[in-house]
Each structure stands twice: as structure tokens, then as C-alpha cells.
Amino acid sequence: MSRLSSEADAPTEASGEELAPVDPTRQAVVDVLRDALGAEHVLDEVIEGNDVWVRVAPTVWREAANVARAALGMTYFCFLSAIDWKQNPELGGQKLWDPDADAGEGPSDGPGAWTTGKAGGDTRFQVVCRLYNVTTHVGLTLKADAGDDNPRIDSLVPLFRGADWHERETWEMYGIDFEGHPGLRHLYLPTEFEGYPLRKDFPLLAREVKPWPGLVNVEGLPGEEAGDTDESAEGGES
Amino acid sequence: MTVTDYQKAAYVAGQAADARINFELEAEGMTLNMGPQHPATHGTLRIILRLDGEQVVWAEPVCGYMHRGYEKLCEVRDYAQVTTLINRIDWLGSFCNEVPFVLAAERLMGIEAPPRAQWIRTILFEMGRIANVGLFLGEMGAQLGALTPVFYAFRDREYVLNLIEGATGGRFHPNFDRIGGLKDDLPKGWIDEAKGAMRRLRDFCDEMDDLLVGNRIFQERTRGIGVIPLDVALEYGLSGANIRSSGLDWDLRRDGDHGLPYNELDWKVWTHPDGDSFARYWVRLQETREATKIVDQLLDGLPSGPIKAKTPARIRVPKGEVWLHTENPLGEMGYYVVSDGSPGGPFRCKIRTPSFSNVSISSWLLRGVYVPDVITILASLYFILGDIDR
Amino acid sequence: MGLIDRGLAPKPLTKILNLARSYSLWMYQWGLACCAIEMAAAMGSPRYDIMRLGVIPLPASARQADVVVIAGTVTDKIVPSLRRLYEQMPDPKYVISMGSCANCGGPYWDSYSVTKGVDQIIPVDVYVPGCPPRPEALLQGVLMLQERIKNEDMAVRWRGGVGERGEPIVVGG
């Protein structure tokens, strides 16, 4: 029996709208979290098909993971990462990044402003963690706001030892400080690397110097057409 | 000229030897660097080992030598361009990397691929698994010193690569999946050739059984080495054959919600209770055999019909977030795709790769083992650098 | 060998030495990424056997290698190791850059951590394009390199070192 659920659900907007009929197991996940953490700390939830998204207040981040592990049996640590919600449309598709464009204002709808995804969000950086129960096959995506300028959140290493590498990677890519982590240092990047690459205001220099030429119908043989193929190999490196 | 501590220790040891006295030399441990270029690591993984004699006291894997910045590159590319790139994450079974991403994009768009496309995707997925794990079966022998099986693995892998090339045009990195289905249908005669190849691969599995599993040296080098208890494996996020060989009956082909037709077939999930290196090898061997049987069933029951659903010419994925994971040859691979509704690529594409978690356990696992066992353990965990470093 | 670097060795002798060198290349493979698998297929698989050309894989160390094949993406992090291992190779040495990542950055041309082409680090003799190039392409690259070695002027090479390499060969171009 196919378990594909996409034909039944259309992607919903954020802010807790639930589709009927809701899977009781998934609803129970949210209820357990709400009871254990207190309703004021569970800021938003979305249940869609087989997935549960819950956004919690950043102060109860570790507590939420603990509840998931202890009460819901989600002992499998899938991943932990972050999302930078700063809208910078110049980075997508075929346009150039413009360093003089205005930075976005606050989280409201509007050009160049922040709009956040499932289960909402208030700040620019959001931490996402996924936990899973390997016997009942129920997964939970936890989200928490980390902050705008100096993002920081609790570390999950005391609960899940596997969070160690994930948090190191998130730190070096976004600059999110994990409090309680045994040693935040570079995992992927060389030690002298400056900057946080996955932030939306980190430009890809090669695309700045030589913009993506767009769809090319037929590529000429090397040496046939003047210019393009040779220059793109030499331009952009210094 | 200053005298180093090492020279002092050597002098004292020399004096003691002359005087025929036995004494314990409090020497500092040696730091051994299994550097990024090493024939035994599967690519550019560097492991810094701190040794006390022949035993490892402390081990730290340093990765990042193959970090190509996938998540950032995915943000600046279209959905169609992203599929060309993500093939190269797990570069041995490369079709398997495309599938969860395309399924995720389809879920966001609300498109369902026709059944024929799903079945052929599954066939190619399982063939990617056979190509990937088939090489592991030969290569783990090579890491332990048995050089013959790896040649058999390369030779028999060629059958699978021929088939993939016949269907998609590329030996690996096929870039064959499209949102809504596949690029092309299968060529004529492919199904019969595939069945023949599966027979030959079952013979290959039997050969590996004879050469390695029954081999006493292999057994002594792998049994009891690198035991991973189940609770530790869950904490670190180990997946795939690594966790099935610690006794957990969990396979996303059967238990996941990706929509591929595994539950319509008759196949078995293999587990092993021990959790040592031998168990990991044994589970993967059985899985390869099982994969050939799955492919046979898929080839027999292939439905007819269109190969691609109707999609707009320019893909524009509506706003949403989705998480989709599948059972890749290395473990659980998943894509957390965030789309902001604009034309162009994903807003954020988090790629959850299995080898990242599989290798993170090695600093815990490698304490107290001997240096040759380090190679055995790393070989049995089976990671691919592109998967760790993305 | 004072005769060779002064150019006084007789032609037949240098011809024989060049022939011997070209058919006994000890290849040091820097298998980094996906191209490494195609390189391994070229070497290990009985279908694309590279040993019939006289090229043997797996030297014991870089100090015994003649030709190095850089197969795969070169990242900024691994560049110091690459440079060091290249300098450990004794002259005369040759470099084959295999795959588009090693040639020019390839599909990761805009990445923040990829070196756009190994020729920024070490001088390259043969470029084998492809993503990944088929093992036959690598074999053709080796054949073209062997042709060049056979026609090489050893005296010029001895004296000139890197500057006298000549134009790099591009397979298929």
C-alpha cells in the first residue's frame, strides 16, 4: 500500500492550521510536548500527513528534546541544522548578488523582508532538529528561534552525543553559538576561514565576477566560438 | 644545543638496557596521522590517532577535505540544476541521491509520478545499491589485506554500470530523475539483460561468501572488533546496515513514507545481533543478495504507462517545507527542502547524509583498539567522503 | 649523467631511454572523489586494464612515482598536502588532471571551498575532461602522454625543469 500522502495534502501556510483528518499519533506527540513544557512554550505546531513540526521557545530547547527522547521514545538523532530566513532574492536563479541592496527590515510580509516557513518564526536564524522513533516510525521536527545578530541556543550534546558534529557544522556555517557544547571548532572549513558561508549575506565570489550565463542552447566546440569558454576558466581566480 | 625529551628518554632507556634493568619508561604517546591521502580511507579523511604503543588512546577524525559547499550551491541553482549536482554526494550509487530530492520536490508541488516511473526509479535505486555495496564487499577485503575480492567486485560492478548506462546514458552520475518522473523510458531488451546481470551478481555474492565470510582470517580480524551497542548507535544517528547489524529491525524502504513500491514486493530485512565489524559485512552481503531479488520482482511486475507526469516547463515550487528520507545504500539519506515560492532553486536545502553520522561515532569507537583494527572498523562502517563532507 | 644534461648523449640512446620511461610509468593516484572510482575501474577492472600500457598503480610512496593523476575535486583544505606530495615526487614527473573538478573546478565552479583547477597549484601535462571521464578517456590521456614522453628532449627537460614542459595536452580537444 503506497503511503504517499502528497495527493491528499496541499502545502499549508504556517501558523498551526491542521488538516482533517489528523493522525492521532501525531496529535499525541504535540499534546505530550505541550503538557510537559507548558502551553506557553510551545509556540506553534503543524501536522501534515506523516510529519509534525513544532516550534518551541528557545529557552526550553533542550527540555523539548529531552521530552521527545524520554516520553516519546525518540531516541534516534537524525540531524540538527539551521535556516537563515533573510530574504535575498538576488542569490537565487540567475541574478547577481547586489552588495548595495538594503538589508531586510523585520519579519513582515513585504519586499525584501523576512517571511518564515512552517510553524512560523520571529528571528532571522532558526535552529531545526529532527528526532525519530525507530519503533513506531514517528518523527518530530523541532524548531526554535536563535536570534538575529548573535544567534545562540542550548546545545543538545548532553542528551545526544551525536549532536556534537551537527552543532559544530551549524556553528561554522551560520555562526550560531551552542551553549554547553564541549568544543565548537571548524569541522569542514580550514581553520583560517573567515565568515559563515551559509548565511544569506555571504556572497559566492565566483558568481559575482562571472555571472551565470543562463541557458545556453548549443555549446560550441573548444576554440570554435570566441571568448566564452576560455575566459570563464581564467576569470574569477586571483 | 637543547636536548629534547625524546632524546633524554632514549638515553635513559639505553643506560637501563646496558645495565640489564627492566623498567617502565614513561614515554609520551605517539601521535599518528592517517593523513588525507591514504590508500585505506575511502577518500580524503584524516584521522589523528594518539597511540600508546599499539593501542589507540584517543582518535579524532578530521573531515572537510572534500567539502564542496553543496547546501550553498543548491540555493543558487534551479531545481533542475540541483539534480545534476546532488548525484555526486554518494558517488558510487549515484542515482540514489537524486531520488529523495525529486520526491521531496514532487511532494511540495503536489505532483505524483506515474507508477511506471516509480517502479523504474526503484529498479535504478536498487541497482545503485548493488553497485555501491558490491564495491564495499570487495573493498573491505582489500582493507584487510585480501586483494583478490576487489577485482571481482570491479568486474561484477561493470554489469550494473552497463545497465545503468544503457538506460540513462551515464555509468554513474546519471541525472535521470526529473520532477514528475524520469527522463526517458527503458530501452528495448534492457529487462532481459538486467535479469541476466542479477543472476551474475548473485553468483558474485556467493563468491564473496566463499572468499571472505568463510575465511578464518577474515573472521578473526572482524569478529568482536568495533562493537557498537544499539543505544549508542541511536544517539549518534547511525543508520542503514550499521544499525541493522546492531540488532535494530528498521528499514526505510519498508517503514518510510516515500511512495516507492517496496511494500508491494516480497523481500526481507536482514539484521544481526552482534554489532561488530563482521556483522556489518554480513548484513551488507545479505542485503546485496536481497536487492538482486527485489530487482527481479520489479522487472517482472513493471507496469506500463507514461513515464513522466505533466509538469510545467519552468519548475516553480510553491512555498513550503518538506522532509523526505529514503534508505540509501549507506544509510538514511534525507532532504529537508524549504521553498519560498520564488522561481529558482530551493531556499534552503539541508542534506542529511548517512556517512556524516556514521563517522561521528568513530571518535567514541576507536578508543582502546589496536592500529590494524582501526582500519577494520573504518572499513566496516563504510562511509564515502562525498557523503560526509557534501 | 653528465652527458644527458649537456645534450651530448647520442640520439639512439635517448630514444631508448625515452621509450623505456614511457612504458614504465609508476602512477601515483590522488583519488579524491568520483573520478577516483573511474580511475580505479581503469586500473582494477579487467575491462579497462591500464597495466597493459605499462602503467602500474600504487607505488609505495610519492618518492617512487613518475606520474600523478589528480582525480576529483581539489578543495582549499587539501591544497597544502597536495603541494607537499607533489614536491616529494622526483623529476622527471608528469601530472594528469582527471575530471572537470581538477581541470577547472567543474560543477563546483562557484563554491567557496573548491580550488578552481589543480593547475593553480601544480603544473599539469594532460587534461582529461569529463564528469567523470570514462576509463577509456584516462587511457587515452596516458597514451598521449606516452607519445609526448617518447618524443621528449631529455637534455632540455633536465635543464629547464618546469618551464620546458610544453603545452598541456587536452584529451578530445
Side-chain angles (χ1 to χ4, degrees), chain A residues 76 78 81-82 185 187-188, chain B residues 60 63 321 332 348 352 388:
Chain A
Y76 177 78
C78 195
S81 185
R185 56 193 188 284
L187 185 71
Y188 279 161
Chain B
E60 163 140 357
C63 56
E321 285 174 36
E332 175 204 3
R348 166 87 171 105
R352 193 267 178 199
I388 304 179

Side-chain angles (χ1 to χ4, degrees), chain C residues 33-106:
Chain C
C34 348
C35 289
I37 308 299
E38 287 293 47
M39 185 172 63
M43 282 186 238
S45 147
R47 206 167 157 191
Y48 306 110
D49 192 11
I50 211 174
M51 291 200 223
R52 58 190 151 132
L53 303 175
V55 173
I56 320 173
L58 297 175
S61 79
R63 296 202 187 271
Q64 296 174 331
D66 295 309
V67 59
V68 64
V69 177
I70 317 273
T73 320
V74 182
T75 55
D76 291 336
K77 199 167 175 183
I78 209 171
V79 157
S81 314
L82 178 62
R83 183 80 208 170
R84 184 191 291 177
L85 283 168
Y86 174 74
E87 285 170 359
Q88 281 181 353
M89 286 169 68
D91 268 316
K93 53 191 171 190
Y94 303 92
V95 177
I96 299 180
S97 159
M98 178 179 178
S100 10
C101 291
N103 291 346
C104 62

